Amino acid sequence: MRRITVWVLSTITVVVLLFSYRTSTSSRAPGTVVASGTTGNGGAANADPGVGSASTAGASRTFTGDAVSTRYGPVQVQITVAGGKVTKSVVTQVPWSERRDQEINAQAVPVLNQEAVQAQSARIDMVSGATYTSDGYLRSLQSALDQAKL
Amino acid sequence: MPVSIHVRAVRTDRADIEGAVANAFAHLRRVDSVLSPWRTDSDLLRVRRGELDPAAAHPWLAEVALLAAEAEAATGGLFTSRLTGPDGSTGFDPTGLAKGWAVAGAAGHLQLVDRVAFCINAGGDLTVGVGRNLDGFASTWRIGIQDPADPMGIVDVVEVSSGAVATSGGSARGPHVVDPRTGLPVDRSGSVTVVGPDLLWADVWATASWVDEEQATRLMAHSHPAYRIIAHP
């Protein structure tokens, strides 16, 4: 919840997978909306540029990406989709972290680190780091997204 | 990589904001379609395979090639755009700076919007800025620097109202930057963050600093004095 100025601000957040691997069987463009969400005090609305699928509300479904071998071990990502959006992503195999079954439970990768950090009670808006582009993570995430036809 | 756009405003459910965000993503997708080293139909790979005359390719390709040459010269060769791609072939691959270049173009759409502040986070490297007709509107973003030893932790915080933050490192996923002088991966712990006006150059200098911090610090002070390096062991 931000009170940066005299105004009470809302923040809109939209996330897209870009500049990343595509899966071998996918014929879709890799610019796929992963998730969008808002934080803040206001009644902010989502913007969903590029959502190609019908955003029909429905029961949530879970898709598990391919286990992708990396030199550090296997990476596998599982996503939960509801209403045409990813509501949750979980890394089920994480070679780059000692926390197995670590739940990355948020709207998207940059946001989730931010929230994890906030849970540590540091007031952070965003995170800069070198680990987001884990190839295995992205390839598994992409294959889960392809299965979900998002 | 995940690219996220974050816009702050008193109300974010404005059509002009949603339109600008859509345009920003559309720009990123167009850049991806031209310069992606992973999309077999990109202009970049078609030129590399000899299927497309460079003169007939999208002019963005020549523009980033010029920038890549400039980055290579400025960093004394610590940054290179001659890389081996996922298909095993080696050739011109401007990925190391195309991202910052693409994000700058995307930010241009958000800079036209009245009374907003924005942050674009492209895989952990980010650009912060504001729109126009600000009328006193200001916003500072507190950027946590990821702990290289713990992806869920932070080691530092920088406050940015306008500018860019880029981080290079081995982090927990292991080495991925190659020292162009030796061809060997830079295999050490820690990370390097560069803060400065423009993401393209922050990114280039973060990579260069990761390869050789001493040389990068010296060269950067010469060619890009508005940038600073923050090293995290």
Side-chain angles (χ1 to χ4, degrees):
Chain A
M1 304 303 117
R2 315 258 168 257
R3 287 179 181 80
I4 306 298
T5 68
V6 291
W7 295 287
V8 176
L9 296 176
S10 310
T11 305
I12 185 171
T13 300
V14 186
V15 184
V16 167
L17 259 193
L18 279 165
F19 309 128
S20 58
Y21 289 105
R22 36 194 333 204
T23 51
S24 56
T25 55
S26 170
S27 59
R28 300 181 59 257
T32 303
V33 168
V34 175
S36 70
T38 58
T39 56
N41 294 320
N46 291 345
D48 280 352
V51 171
S53 61
S55 306
T56 49
S60 66
R61 294 182 61 196
T62 299
F63 300 89
T64 303
D66 299 337
V68 175
S69 296
T70 72
R71 57 179 290 199
Y72 312 107
V75 174
Q76 192 161 32
V77 177
Q78 189 178 73
I79 59 172
T80 303
V81 178
K85 287 179 188 159
V86 177
T87 55
K88 184 170 157 182
S89 74
V90 180
V91 180
T92 56
Q93 299 183 60
V94 191
W96 41 269
S97 168
E98 293 182 347
R99 302 175 199 176
R100 286 191 170 267
D101 300 314
Q102 173 186 66
E103 189 163 301
I104 303 189
N105 184 2
Q107 307 285 9
V109 182
V111 181
L112 46 96
N113 272 6
Q114 170 191 347
E115 292 191 352
V117 165
Q118 280 170 345
Q120 298 173 351
S121 76
R123 225 178 62 70
I124 300 298
D125 300 314
M126 212 56 60
V127 174
S128 176
T131 60
Y132 294 152
T133 52
S134 161
D135 296 341
Y137 173 83
L138 285 174
R139 282 155 64 195
S140 185
L141 175 60
Q142 184 70 63
S143 77
L145 289 168
D146 290 343
Q147 288 175 43
K149 296 189 167 46
L150 279 181
Chain B
M1 70 185 67
V3 179
S4 60
I5 296 180
H6 314 259
V7 179
R8 286 179 181 162
V10 175
R11 289 181 62 94
T12 51
D13 57 344
R14 285 160 37 191
D16 58 340
I17 292 177
E18 295 185 5
V21 170
N23 286 337
F25 278 123
H27 177 79
L28 293 169
R29 286 199 187 87
R30 278 197 299 276
V31 175
D32 191 45
S33 71
V34 174
L35 298 176
S36 172
W38 295 298
R39 293 175 56 147
T40 51
D41 60 346
S42 70
D43 285 31
L44 175 78
L45 289 188
R46 286 167 63 211
V47 167
R48 260 173 72 160
R49 289 195 304 264
E51 297 167 11
L52 180 64
D53 181 350
H58 196 290
W60 284 346
L61 200 58
E63 188 171 340
V64 295
L66 279 174
L67 287 165
E70 196 183 323
E72 210 155 324
T75 61
L78 295 178
F79 175 91
T80 184
S81 55
R82 187 171 172 77
L83 301 170
T84 301
D87 61 354
S89 74
T90 300
F92 175 62
D93 178 349
T95 308
L97 55 71
K99 182 173 78 173
W101 182 81
V103 167
H109 290 284
L110 300 166
Q111 285 161 350
L112 298 174
V113 182
D114 290 345
R115 286 165 60 87
V116 295
F118 63 87
C119 177
I120 304 179
N121 190 338
D125 299 323
L126 45 93
T127 285
V128 169
V130 291
R132 62 182 183 182
N133 297 322
L134 297 173
D135 193 24
F137 184 92
S139 189
T140 298
W141 302 75
R142 286 173 56 83
I143 313 297
I145 308 301
Q146 190 177 48
D147 184 347
D150 174 9
M152 290 296 156
I154 58 156
V155 287
D156 202 354
V157 177
V158 292
E159 294 197 342
V160 185
S161 300
S162 177
V165 181
T167 300
S168 272
S171 296
R173 68 180 161 128
H176 68 293
V177 175
V178 169
D179 185 337
R181 300 169 301 185
T182 61
L184 298 172
V186 180
D187 192 2
R188 60 183 171 97
S189 59
S191 69
V192 178
T193 296
V194 173
V195 182
D198 183 82
L199 182 57
L200 187 156
W201 288 105
D203 212 354
V204 164
W205 285 112
T207 304
S209 307
W210 180 243
V211 173
D212 186 336
E213 194 182 328
E214 201 181 320
Q215 184 183 333
T217 302
R218 188 165 42 80
L219 293 172
M220 194 180 81
H222 176 69
S223 67
H224 291 87
Y227 293 74
R228 65 191 168 101
I229 297 171
I230 309 167
H232 295 101

